[in-house]
Structure formats: structure tokens, C-alpha cells
Amino acid sequence: MEGGHTNTKESIRRQVILLLLLHLLSQTASEQIRYSIPEELEIGSIVGNLAKDLGLPAGKPANYDLHILSLGKNQYFSINTENGHLYVNSRIDREGICGETAFCHINFEVMIKSPMNIFHITVEIEDINDNVPHFFTGDIKLETIESTFPGARFVLGYAKDADVGINSLQNYHLMPNQYFILETREREDGNKYAEIVLNKQLDRESESSFHLILTALDGGKPTKTGTATIWVNVLDANDNSPIFAQEVYKVSLKENAAKGSSVVQVKATDKDEGSNGQIDYQFANIPESAHQRFSVSSVNGTITVTENLDFEEMEKYTLTVEARDGDGGGLVTHCKVEITILDENDNAPEIMLASLVNPVSEDTALGAVIAYIIVTDKDTGDNGKVTCHLHGDPPFRILPTSSNYYKLLSDGPLDRERTPEYNITVTASDAGSPPLSTHKSITLQVSDVNDNAPAFETLVIMLKLRQSGSPKFLQCFAPIPHSNNTLIFPPNYEEGTLPYSYQLCLSSESRIHEFAFPKPPVPTTEIIPCTNKSDTLMMINGDNAPNPEMGNGEVVSFLSVGT
């Protein structure tokens, strides 16, 4: 009794703990766990106590099979199943992960299997000053005519710093000189670029060329810098510079624009005549990615597409075009071309199976979670809005949960004896025009439970009673016409050894079995005379039973046995 009482108390204690756990999980399932760490932490550094933050009971994280869903993503973190801590698993380079994005997050999902649930984890990656500013080229070539008036501006381009915030590029510095002063300007996208302004008339005869040092500085502590050399070449007089019709050209371009299609034409004019008035157009100090995808006509300033564009790769390009007059030199002016890439519905949704209960028991309750499915679409706006549905009318349904997750639920009774396997087709369609769809098949096995009682096949049992020595012995059991069935007798049968003998016939669709036994006590049954004198069905029922020697002394009874 004492041992049974202890087991009962232990069972109740486990049930209470389980109920408390389910309550805690239900409170945290809809919440996102957030952490914040600097980039470039050493591998093995602790991010946080994930088991504690999820509300799992202390000291038992291994019991819930806490693990990260990889789904093909880089594994930047790992979980220690013994203590539930989240650790840094590989090098985290904020710039490599998020590029120029100001706020960098790594999102992933964590699953526990008992009870099954998924939690969304967000780790914010803080920037450190681990990158120096750098120019696209270390040498900047500048040519200008000696007659250029003070106040003329020359765009030097900009340096890049992969860091963000205060750690990114903040300012420029120009070495002291007698001709130029520096101005730092900011573009619409926030990037700072340098211009130099002519402060004193140049004199080619006294100084035909010289160089200046331009320094880019970030805001980190300590400050990091990058430098470029400005080579100034002074030309003979050409007293009119080209002038662009616009300082900034803005244009929108669909990402499916064909190679060779025109983007925009920039136009500059020059009041000079002859070679001093002839203008040559070129790109000036633009990123290599822009150089690969666009070209500009040196004759008319038309910019065309040279490579396929991809909105998901780059949403905006800023190009600098220079207009230069004269032969082999001359005056230069610049304009900006801002190209915004428009998204097209060129990516179909992607379906990934996060988890699956397979096989599923045929007594699974309605609403039980069978699988978690992740659906993503690289496009944006309506082109990236995805809905999911199931083909046909299976006893399942699919519902969205959070982020890009859907769950497959049981929605009807399962019967393994009728349908042991389901091929479920999930279709994900976006809201683009025209919409794109993706199909994924999930094969689901149904496991058996003991839900059927045993059953007999239906038989007809025919019992024949006869007096020993009758010449019409086994008359009822002669072979059936047009049948190949034979009669089968017990090996120890001898006619006439007892006053009565019994033949038992088992009838099925394929054959007749006949057996002979010594006379037992006559039970209550249905009897049919086996002679030609009577075909009437009669009942043997206690004292009212007829003599078994009725007719010619032979009686046959039939019993029906089955389900």
C-alpha cells in the first residue's frame, strides 16, 4: 500500500509540472525572444540563457529536445542541451550579413518536441568599428583649364565604409594647398562625398601639374582613415565648361528590362566652338556593379542596360556621368543619375517542410498539429504576399501562424483500414499579376490502432441424421451437378456400427465438406427431411421434437453461422 501511495503522489506531481509547463509555453509561444550582441564575438561566447528565457523548468532543458531549425541557413548559433544556453557558433560579420542596412538582425527558430512548439528568436548584431573608409580608386585624376574661374567645383566622388552609424564615414580632409578648398556634401541616401572648389586662378606656365592628398575619416574611437591622391593636370585655355540640362536625373526601371534597352539620355551643352565645344560622355568613379549593368554612349549620353537586373539584389543605382569638352582634355562637369529598380513578380513562392509527424495515428484528435511549413517569396509588395491551400478534400487543413509559418492540422477522422496513406498537395500562390504558384507533396502514413473486433466469415452448416444401414445413405450429399467438388469422409467411418450416424456438411462457395460422427444427444435445431417425401422445414424443440426416424429415417439440419 505504501509503494502504491508513493507512485500515485509521484504521478500527480508529474501531471502538475506538465500543466504548469504547458501554461508557460502557451504564454511564450506568441512572443519573440530578443538578444543583442556586438559583431565579431569569439566562437563559444554566451548569447543568453535560452531555456530560462523560454520559461522551461530549471535543470531540465534536455528533456524537451530544444534545438535550432536550420532549414539551410548558416548556423551562427548553437544550443547547449544540458544547460539551455545559446552560444555563438561561427564568426558573425555584420557587414557580410546585412551590408549597408542600419539595423542588422539574425532571425531563426527554435523547436521543442515535447510538447511540440516553435519559438522565434531575434539576435540584433551591433556594429563595431572594424572597417576603414576606402575610395574606389586610390588615384583621382583631375584636369582643368588654366582659365577656369575661381568658384568652379570638381566632384571627387566618395569613399565607402562598411560600418554603420557613427562608425561609418563622417568627413573628408584635404591637405593644405594654395588652389583648392574642400567641401563635404551629402547625397539623398546619406552618403557623404567630397568636392573641391577652385579658390585661386591656375597658371599653367608656373605649375602645369601637382597632386593633393584627400583623406576620409570615420567616427569610430579610435578614428580610422583612408586616403586617395588627386592628380591635377592644368590645361591651356578653354573658357567654357559643358553644362548639363539637369544636375540630377531620376528614372524608374523595371527589373525585367531587356539588355540594350534605353534608360535615360543625359544632355550637356558647351558654348565653345570646334574641338572645345565637342563633348564626350563617360561614367566617373562609379561602383563596379553599376559598370557591369549599364553603359553610356560617349557621343549622345544615352545610358543603356547591358546586363540583367535583379530587384532582390539591388534596388537602386546612383551613377555619376561626366561631360568633357575639347580633344584629349578640357573642361569637365558632372551630373547624377539615380535609377530606381521596380520589382516584378519573377520569383515563385518557396515551400519548405520544417517538421512532420509521420506516421500519424488513426485516432489523432481533431485540430492536432501534423506539420509546420515555411513559405517564402523573394519578391516584395503584392508580389511577395503568399496564401496557401490544400488540393482536394483531405481530412486536413492548413492555417497561417506567424511570420512565414503555416501549420497543417487534422480536420476529420482517419481510418487506416480505408485509407492507410495520404498524398497531401500544398499549393502556395502569390498575389502578383499574373500570380506564381508552387506545389509540394507530403506523403503521410496512417498508423493502426485496435479499433476493429474479430469477425467470422459466413458459413452454412448442414447436419444429416440417418438410421444405420439405409440404402439412401448420403443421398443429400451427392456431388453437385456440374461441380468438380468431391465428397470427403472421416477415415474411421463405418456404416452400421451404431444405430444412427451423423453427417456434418460445411458449405461454402467453393466446396462441400462431409463428416460422419457417432450419434450424440439431439440438440435444439432446425431440421429438414432429406427424402423426397417431405421438404418441409421443422423445428426440434425439446419434447416437441419429431422422431429423427421420420420419413425414411434420415434427417438433415442446417445451422447458419457468421457475422
Side-chain angles (χ1 to χ4, degrees):
M1 286 296 293
E2 182 177 352
H5 181 66
T6 302
N7 292 337
T8 301
K9 291 178 62 179
E10 179 65 21
S11 176
I12 293 174
R13 187 181 69 85
R14 288 198 298 266
Q15 293 178 13
V16 171
I17 292 176
L18 179 59
L19 289 174
L20 289 174
L21 175 61
L22 291 175
H23 175 68
L24 290 173
L25 290 179
S26 67
Q27 290 182 326
T28 60
S30 61
E31 299 177 357
Q32 284 197 342
I33 306 299
R34 302 182 68 91
Y35 298 103
S36 180
I37 62 171
E39 62 174 322
E40 303 293 352
L41 277 180
E42 291 184 3
I43 296 175
S45 298
I46 297 178
V47 178
N49 190 333
L50 184 58
K52 178 181 177 182
D53 295 335
L54 291 177
L56 299 181
K60 294 186 178 181
N63 294 350
Y64 303 98
D65 192 14
L66 188 65
H67 64 279
I68 294 174
L69 294 176
S70 61
L71 304 176
K73 300 177 183 177
N74 292 330
Q75 291 298 298
Y76 294 107
F77 304 98
S78 62
I79 299 175
N80 187 315
T81 57
E82 297 300 321
N83 57 28
H85 286 173
L86 184 67
Y87 292 90
V88 175
N89 190 54
S90 63
R91 179 187 174 219
I92 299 177
D93 178 17
R94 190 205 67 81
E95 290 75 28
I97 297 172
C98 298
E100 297 181 0
T101 304
F103 299 96
C104 183
H105 302 88
I106 296 177
N107 298 298
F108 59 96
E109 287 71 39
V110 170
M111 171 178 278
I112 62 173
K113 286 190 175 179
S114 180
M116 181 183 290
N117 209 336
I118 289 179
F119 302 89
H120 301 275
I121 312 299
T122 297
V123 181
E124 180 181 355
I125 308 303
E126 301 171 350
D127 182 55
I128 63 173
N129 192 22
D130 58 340
N131 292 281
V132 300
H134 69 279
F135 291 88
F136 290 107
T137 175
D139 292 331
I140 300 174
K141 294 182 179 181
L142 178 63
E143 292 182 336
T144 185
I145 191 70
E146 63 178 342
S147 60
T148 301
F149 294 106
R153 294 176 175 271
F154 302 88
V155 178
L156 302 180
Y158 61 94
K160 290 289 293 181
D161 191 324
D163 295 321
V164 296
I166 193 64
N167 294 325
S168 65
L169 186 144
Q170 299 296 318
N171 208 349
Y172 295 91
H173 174 74
L174 182 67
M175 67 174 286
N177 69 96
Q178 61 176 322
Y179 295 109
F180 297 95
I181 60 175
L182 176 71
E183 285 190 7
T184 299
R185 306 187 72 177
E186 185 171 332
R187 299 189 327 193
E188 289 184 358
D189 60 4
N191 285 322
K192 295 180 173 64
Y193 65 96
E195 287 186 353
I196 56 174
V197 181
L198 186 61
N199 193 45
K200 178 185 177 182
Q201 185 102 22
L202 296 169
D203 184 4
R204 183 180 179 277
E205 284 67 32
S206 64
E207 193 171 19
S208 62
S209 65
F210 55 92
H211 74 273
L212 306 171
I213 301 298
L214 179 65
T215 303
L217 304 92
D218 68 18
K221 293 183 179 181
T223 300
K224 294 187 176 182
T225 62
T227 61
T229 302
I230 305 172
W231 298 93
V232 181
N233 187 27
V234 182
L235 305 175
D236 258 341
N238 179 4
D239 56 352
N240 286 287
S241 299
I243 300 175
F244 279 101
Q246 299 174 221
E247 289 187 2
V248 179
Y249 293 81
K250 296 183 178 181
V251 62
S252 297
L253 185 65
K254 292 183 178 181
E255 68 173 330
N256 61 359
K259 294 181 183 179
S261 58
S262 175
V263 179
V264 68
Q265 183 181 20
V266 298
K267 186 67 176 177
T269 59
D270 193 314
K271 294 180 180 180
D272 294 325
E273 295 181 351
S275 62
N276 289 331
Q278 293 180 355
I279 298 175
D280 180 81
Y281 299 91
Q282 300 290 339
F283 287 135
N285 197 27
I286 68 171
E288 183 63 25
S289 60
H291 247 309
Q292 293 173 350
R293 289 166 176 79
F294 302 98
S295 65
V296 59
S297 170
S298 61
V299 176
N300 58 28
T302 300
I303 298 175
T304 56
V305 178
T306 56
E307 290 291 342
N308 293 329
L309 304 174
D310 188 356
F311 171 86
E312 287 72 30
E313 180 180 338
M314 185 73 73
E315 299 180 14
K316 187 175 183 179
Y317 295 88
T318 300
L319 313 177
T320 300
V321 180
E322 71 173 24
R324 182 185 298 273
D325 66 12
D327 292 330
L331 300 177
V332 178
T333 190
H334 299 83
C335 73
K336 299 290 183 183
V337 179
E338 295 179 359
I339 304 173
T340 300
I341 307 302
L342 302 178
D343 187 34
E344 292 289 317
N345 192 22
D346 59 342
N347 291 282
E350 297 178 357
I351 303 175
M352 292 179 288
L353 188 62
S355 64
L356 175 66
V357 177
N358 194 12
V360 61
S361 177
E362 66 176 336
D363 63 352
T364 297
L366 294 181
V369 177
I370 305 301
Y372 277 98
I373 299 169
I374 302 175
V375 181
T376 57
D377 194 316
K378 295 179 181 178
D379 294 319
T380 61
D382 288 342
N383 295 331
K385 293 180 180 178
V386 180
T387 56
C388 286
H389 68 275
L390 302 180
H391 275 231
D393 190 25
F396 304 96
R397 59 191 174 108
I398 189 168
L399 291 177
T401 57
S402 58
S403 298
N404 299 318
Y405 278 79
Y406 288 78
K407 56 186 177 182
L408 183 67
L409 306 174
S410 63
D411 195 39
L414 304 178
D415 188 351
R416 187 201 64 82
E417 287 72 22
R418 292 185 177 180
T419 309
E421 179 182 280
Y422 289 92
N423 288 318
I424 305 169
T425 300
V426 180
T427 298
S429 301
D430 61 27
S433 180
L436 299 179
S437 298
T438 299
H439 308 283
K440 184 176 183 63
S441 294
I442 301 174
T443 300
L444 188 64
Q445 306 291 333
V446 180
S447 62
D448 188 40
V449 298
N450 191 16
D451 59 345
N452 290 285
F456 288 100
E457 293 183 356
T458 302
L459 299 174
V460 175
I461 302 176
M462 183 165 61
L463 184 64
K464 175 182 177 182
L465 287 75
R466 69 178 295 277
Q467 185 175 3
S468 176
S470 171
K472 296 185 178 180
F473 173 65
L474 298 182
Q475 178 179 346
C476 292
F477 300 95
I480 299 173
H482 312 294
S483 172
N484 293 326
N485 296 330
T486 59
L487 301 179
I488 301 175
F489 297 92
N492 60 350
Y493 172 77
E494 291 183 7
E495 183 179 7
T497 56
L498 293 174
Y500 292 93
S501 62
Y502 289 68
Q503 279 78 41
L504 180 64
C505 298
L506 302 181
S507 176
S508 67
E509 292 181 0
S510 61
R511 64 184 301 177
I512 296 176
H513 301 279
E514 300 181 6
F515 301 92
F517 301 93
K519 178 181 177 181
V522 178
T524 298
T525 183
E526 297 177 0
I527 63 172
I528 299 176
C530 196
T531 66
N532 294 328
K533 295 180 180 180
S534 174
D535 293 328
T536 303
L537 177 64
M538 304 182 68
M539 295 296 298
I540 300 176
N541 186 6
D543 297 334
N544 296 326
N547 191 322
E549 297 183 0
M550 64 183 297
N552 66 349
E554 298 179 355
V555 177
V556 176
S557 67
F558 291 85
L559 288 85
S560 178
V561 180
T563 57

